[in-house]
Amino acid sequence: MTDQRRSSREKPPVAVSAVVADFTARPPVREQIVEGAVPAPPAGFQVREDLLAPLAAEEAVCALTGAPGVGKTLLAASYAWACQAAGWPVVAWIPAATTDQILAGLEDLAHRLGVRVPVDTPESASDKAKAWLSGTHQPCLVVFDGATDIQAVRRWCPAGGAARVVITSRDRAFGDHYAPMEVNAFTPAQAVAFLAGRTGLADESAAAELAEELGCLPLALAQAGAVIAREKTGYHGYLRSLRDLSPDRQLTTLEDDGYPAGVAQAVLVSLGQAEEAVAGARPVLERLAVLSSTGVTRSLLPGGAESEERSGVDELLSGLADTSLITFSDDGRVVLMHSLIQRVLRERAHHDDRLGQVLADAVGPLRALNDLINEETTPWKARGMAKSLREHIGVLYATAFPVGLLTPDLLLLRGWSGDYLREMGDLSRAITLHEVTLAESERLLGTDHPTTLSNRHNLACSYQAAERTQETIALFEQVLAERERVLGVDHLDTLTSRQVLAYTYQWGERTQEAIPLYERAAADCERVLGSDHHLTLGTRHDLADTYRSAGRTREAIALFEQVLADCERVLGTDHHISLASRHNLADAHQMEGRTQKAITLYEQVLPDCERVLGHDHLLTSTTRGNLSGAYRAAGRTQKAITSYEAILTDCERLLDADDPLTLTSRHNLAEIYLEAGRLREAIVLYERVVAERERKLGADHLDTLTSRHYLAYAHDSAGRTREAIVLFKQVLADCERVLGADHPNTRAARESIDNVRSFLPRWRRLIGR
């Protein structure tokens, strides 16, 4: 028979009309979304038409279950290729071994669908993706691959709509909840046909003997076919090699469940042949074995980070793909390895006492990836890289922990995973991960080890993000004292802790403690690191900001001007510290009453923030808002209105309609309408804000009471005195009940009833607006 091997990027012939007959009449979408690392067809791939057509005819949610290595993932991938070819608008491939993987995949899909906003957490973005899929009338496919937790999949599986869902899992219990389809090994005839097509050998009896030896398992047959095709051993020669090999002599079992029949032997034979035939294969294979099976980029492989060596890595990977030990994603971006092949490699490395070194060798590329994330200026791209880094760190940690191979480096990387969870707003999981990692660090390394101190510092950062103020301050104080004792007062980590503790005091409104600590930190950084070091510049900037917060605006302005000049000279005008310094200098001038100077500075820094950080970055948004306030303070009402309207539009585009920031922006716009005499528009906006704040925050929330009070004033300004007095009385009664008779807001409401038209200046002064 002729050789039927294909390129790993070439699509096999799939009977698309049989698979997607219900949707072929629909016109193709303009821009199809294919999200996730859909596997490409491996060398010698054989379409399982007997399973593919029934899969397409199944119910909306189908569970493909079966033993490891029977081809569940490739069957689901076959369906995905067919849906792509038929022009389905959305095809999403979501690894589902953990909840983290499910959330990461759905969040990416939400981004591609255009329903995710920057403030979304992984959960809120995933909810939006699920809702979109549940409500769509367009044909879409979602694959949850390698699922392990029924409840996790049920939580995130779309219900209703036109979306088709395919779940692959070893756990047959999924079939109790969704339409089941059992995927078994090849039939003897299919196994013989596969071997014949892969090897070009027509000896059916010998092929049948080999297939029986390997239990007709597709994964094992793929290994056998690849070796026979490359080595020209014939079926009997391969059988001799297989039977001569004893896995017990090469493997140390790390996991409880046994291999399917023949897999370990077949993989070991393939490894021996590949490592002998493909130069540099072993370190690449072992690296893939300890990173995530969801996909590894070339930059994380030995030699893959150096551009001049990329062609060599590509050639090596192409050779390994022909051995069936690896494959690629459909778009060619990532390298994939079956989890059973990974397991054999890990067990072999452990048997050879090499697993510790393999794990250690993987740390360097992950550190490099972390550095790239820190340098990345596009938030969404950095977020995606961080999710990939967390996935790989999780696999390294899970591999090392059971066999006692945790090292300071791995514990430090584990702490980074918590940092990225915190930055994504997933505070609960971040805190849990940091607490567990800190406990492991203390147990294995001791309380004074630098990695333990770093993990304690990271936990404090997560407490701070969760606004657990007292725990945060206590922990940062402990870290600073320990670093001074263990590392010395001038160590970089100690200097960093001193600066962070000063910031924490300021954040906790302990400004009088923050200022002297900042002053000491700035002096120490300049003495030890020099005046141009980024930590020195950052500390001096934060000291100036603390002066501003404390009302020492002249000192703040002088220091901001020095810091700005140094930052622009050392870091460049577009560095984030330079941009923040320019913004804060403008703010300090406004606090000093130099409104026109502040406007000039805000107008200069705003376009730079938009260009460098993006239109939706926090500093950009803050600058835009402060510029609006400066216009208003300067009496430039129309400019202020235009700016406030733009801010509200951005909030409504990027945030939920009832997000607190959106409601605040709507309230502020109503206020400037009121000042400009656009009373009807002001009243309409205030009524909407009151209704939304009552629903979102409750009728007794201070912001709700504030908006109701402004609505009363707007009615009074419009000559609706009776409506105004009724509202003022309601607000007064609520303020007395909620805030007490002596609260400033209560007193302001009481005075408003007697002097309706004169209350606004006093109200603003009392509530600080």
Side-chain angles (χ1 to χ4, degrees):
M1 299 181 66
T2 58
D3 190 311
Q4 296 181 5
R5 284 179 292 172
R6 302 176 185 275
S7 162
S8 60
R9 300 293 304 282
E10 182 186 351
K11 291 286 196 305
V14 179
V16 176
S17 60
V19 177
V20 290
D22 291 342
F23 301 111
T24 50
R26 300 194 179 199
V29 295
R30 181 172 299 176
E31 292 186 6
Q32 185 182 58
I33 294 174
V34 179
E35 178 56 44
V38 182
F45 176 72
Q46 178 173 295
V47 179
R48 301 181 73 171
E49 296 282 7
D50 58 321
L51 295 176
L52 189 55
L55 173 59
E58 274 292 355
E59 297 179 17
V61 183
C62 179
L64 302 180
T65 60
V70 295
K72 301 180 295 296
T73 292
L74 281 178
L75 177 59
S78 300
Y79 189 35
W81 305 329
C83 294
Q84 285 180 251
W88 285 26
V90 175
V91 175
W93 189 273
I94 299 175
T98 65
T99 300
D100 199 31
Q101 289 180 351
I102 296 173
L103 292 174
L106 285 173
E107 184 183 27
D108 287 344
L109 178 59
H111 179 74
R112 296 286 301 278
L113 293 171
V115 297
R116 179 191 172 275
V117 296
V119 296
D120 272 330
T121 63
E123 285 86 355
S124 62
S126 296
D127 271 323
K128 291 178 179 179
K130 176 184 175 181
W132 190 96
L133 292 165
S134 298
T136 185
H137 298 294
Q138 298 176 291
C140 301
L141 174 67
V142 180
V143 177
F144 291 104
D145 184 45
T148 59
D149 186 336
I150 294 174
Q151 295 307 315
V153 173
R154 290 185 69 179
R155 165 67 179 88
W156 298 108
C157 183
R164 291 292 313 279
V165 178
V166 174
I167 303 164
T168 73
S169 178
R170 301 180 185 183
D171 187 352
R172 289 178 172 81
F174 275 91
D176 297 333
H177 299 270
Y178 303 106
M181 178 179 287
E182 182 74 9
V183 182
N184 296 309
F186 283 153
T187 65
Q190 288 174 324
V192 169
F194 173 83
L195 287 172
R198 186 71 173 94
T199 66
L201 300 177
D203 188 344
E204 292 189 5
S205 62
E209 184 181 0
L210 175 57
E212 183 180 4
E213 183 82 13
L214 296 175
C216 294
L217 196 69
L219 179 63
L221 291 169
Q223 304 305 308
V227 171
I228 294 169
R230 290 174 67 95
E231 295 294 295
K232 312 299 182 186
T233 60
Y235 296 129
H236 292 297
Y238 182 85
L239 266 171
R240 284 193 296 272
S241 299
L242 194 69
R243 290 166 176 169
D244 288 344
L245 189 149
S246 173
D248 293 342
R249 297 180 181 178
Q250 296 191 38
L251 304 178
T252 299
T253 301
L254 302 177
E255 303 171 46
D256 294 336
D257 57 324
Y259 293 104
V263 169
Q265 294 96 318
V267 171
L268 286 171
V269 171
S270 291
L271 288 174
Q273 185 270 331
E275 290 169 353
E276 182 177 339
V278 182
R282 181 161 186 159
V284 170
L285 291 169
E286 290 182 334
R287 179 72 53 81
L288 288 167
V290 296
L291 297 179
S292 174
S293 61
T294 60
V296 179
T297 60
R298 287 164 173 77
S299 63
L300 297 179
L301 299 176
E306 302 298 332
S307 58
E308 63 271 17
E309 298 181 18
R310 279 288 177 88
S311 60
V313 171
D314 288 343
E315 183 178 351
L316 187 155
L317 292 174
S318 178
L320 290 177
D322 201 40
T323 69
S324 292
L325 289 168
I326 68 167
T327 186
F328 299 97
S329 61
D330 201 31
D331 58 11
R333 290 183 303 162
V334 298
V335 184
L336 304 169
M337 177 179 280
H338 196 284
S339 59
L340 286 180
I341 299 176
Q342 287 184 306
R343 179 178 164 183
V344 172
L345 279 158
R346 290 195 297 266
E347 293 187 1
R348 187 186 69 170
H350 190 58
H351 179 274
D352 296 343
D353 201 24
R354 283 180 40 80
L355 185 56
Q357 187 59 52
V358 172
L359 293 167
D361 290 342
V363 168
L366 296 185
R367 283 181 176 273
L369 178 56
N370 182 69
D371 292 340
L372 289 176
I373 295 168
N374 291 331
E375 295 169 4
E376 178 57 52
T377 58
T378 304
W380 179 250
K381 186 175 180 180
R383 192 181 182 99
M385 295 162 66
K387 285 190 286 189
S388 175
L389 177 61
R390 285 193 298 107
E391 181 71 23
H392 294 311
I393 290 173
V395 175
L396 281 181
Y397 190 89
T399 301
F401 180 80
V403 292
L405 292 176
L406 287 181
T407 63
D409 281 340
L410 289 177
L411 288 165
L412 186 63
L413 263 61
R414 179 73 163 171
W416 293 353
S417 292
D419 292 344
Y420 286 120
L421 285 172
R422 179 181 69 246
E423 291 170 10
M424 290 192 297
D426 199 342
L427 298 181
S428 177
R429 285 200 296 159
I431 288 172
T432 299
L433 189 149
H434 278 314
E435 289 175 339
V436 171
T437 305
L438 175 58
E440 284 300 310
S441 294
E442 291 175 337
R443 181 178 66 85
L444 294 174
L445 307 177
T447 57
D448 290 345
H449 192 280
T451 295
T452 304
L453 300 181
S454 293
N455 283 322
R456 190 171 293 123
H457 171 98
N458 294 339
L459 175 59
C461 290
S462 290
Y463 282 159
Q464 186 173 36
E467 298 186 355
R468 294 165 60 168
T469 307
Q470 296 307 315
E471 292 166 285
T472 301
I473 291 175
L475 210 50
F476 275 135
E477 288 175 336
Q478 180 184 351
V479 172
L480 176 58
E482 290 170 339
R483 281 180 166 171
E484 287 180 338
R485 176 175 55 82
V486 176
L487 304 176
V489 295
D490 290 342
H491 190 279
L492 179 60
D493 288 351
T494 308
L495 298 174
T496 300
S497 282
R498 194 170 294 124
Q499 187 257 8
V500 168
L501 180 58
Y503 172 80
T504 307
Y505 283 151
Q506 182 185 5
W507 168 76
E509 299 182 355
R510 294 166 60 172
T511 306
Q512 295 310 309
E513 293 170 271
I515 288 175
L517 191 57
Y518 263 134
E519 289 173 336
R520 179 187 172 186
D524 289 344
C525 286
E526 190 161 0
R527 173 177 55 81
V528 176
L529 305 174
S531 58
D532 291 345
H533 192 277
H534 66 88
L535 184 59
T536 306
L537 296 172
T539 304
R540 290 169 60 208
H541 169 275
D542 290 349
L543 173 59
D545 196 43
T546 310
Y547 284 155
R548 182 189 59 167
S549 299
R552 296 164 60 173
T553 52
R554 292 186 179 180
E555 292 169 278
I557 289 171
L559 190 51
F560 273 135
E561 288 175 338
Q562 293 174 9
V563 172
L564 177 58
D566 289 340
C567 283
E568 292 184 333
R569 174 177 55 82
V570 176
L571 304 175
T573 56
D574 289 346
H575 193 275
H576 66 89
I577 297 180
S578 301
L579 296 173
S581 295
R582 289 163 64 193
H583 167 273
N584 290 338
L585 177 59
D587 194 45
H589 278 298
Q590 187 167 359
M591 289 180 65
E592 189 71 5
R594 301 171 182 169
T595 304
Q596 188 52 51
K597 177 69 172 177
I599 288 174
T600 301
L601 288 171
Y602 281 136
E603 289 178 334
Q604 290 172 351
V605 74
L606 179 57
D608 290 337
C609 287
E610 291 174 336
R611 174 176 54 82
V612 176
L613 303 175
H615 194 77
D616 303 330
H617 191 275
L618 177 61
L619 181 58
T620 307
S621 301
T622 303
T623 304
R624 193 179 297 116
N626 288 349
L627 176 58
S628 303
Y631 284 147
R632 182 176 173 184
R636 298 167 64 175
T637 305
Q638 188 53 50
K639 290 280 285 186
I641 287 174
T642 301
S643 186
Y644 277 127
E645 287 174 338
I647 291 171
L648 178 57
T649 298
D650 285 342
C651 286
E652 291 175 335
R653 175 175 59 86
L654 298 169
L655 308 174
D656 292 331
D658 58 358
D659 185 273
L661 288 176
T662 306
L663 299 181
T664 298
S665 297
R666 196 170 287 127
H667 176 100
N668 291 340
L669 179 58
E671 190 172 345
I672 195 68
Y673 281 160
L674 185 61
E675 291 180 4
R678 295 167 59 171
L679 302 179
R680 181 176 299 177
E681 293 165 286
I683 289 172
V684 169
L685 272 183
Y686 276 135
E687 287 176 337
R688 180 176 176 183
V689 172
V690 167
E692 290 171 336
R693 280 183 163 169
E694 286 180 342
R695 177 172 54 83
K696 181 77 172 180
L697 306 175
D700 294 341
H701 192 279
L702 182 59
D703 287 348
T704 307
L705 296 173
T706 299
S707 291
R708 288 170 59 201
H709 207 156
Y710 271 97
L711 174 59
Y713 178 77
H715 279 298
D716 180 53
S717 300
R720 303 174 181 175
T721 306
R722 182 174 299 177
E723 293 96 326
I725 291 176
V726 170
L727 282 173
F728 281 137
K729 287 182 177 180
Q730 291 174 351
V731 171
L732 174 60
D734 289 338
C735 284
E736 288 178 334
R737 175 176 55 83
V738 176
L739 305 174
D742 294 330
H743 192 278
N745 294 40
T746 308
R747 293 198 302 270
R750 189 178 299 114
E751 293 171 8
S752 298
I753 296 175
D754 298 327
N755 190 6
V756 171
R757 293 185 181 277
S758 66
F759 93 95
L760 184 57
R762 177 184 299 276
W763 176 259
R764 280 193 178 143
R765 185 169 64 254
L766 287 173
I767 68 173
R769 287 180 177 269

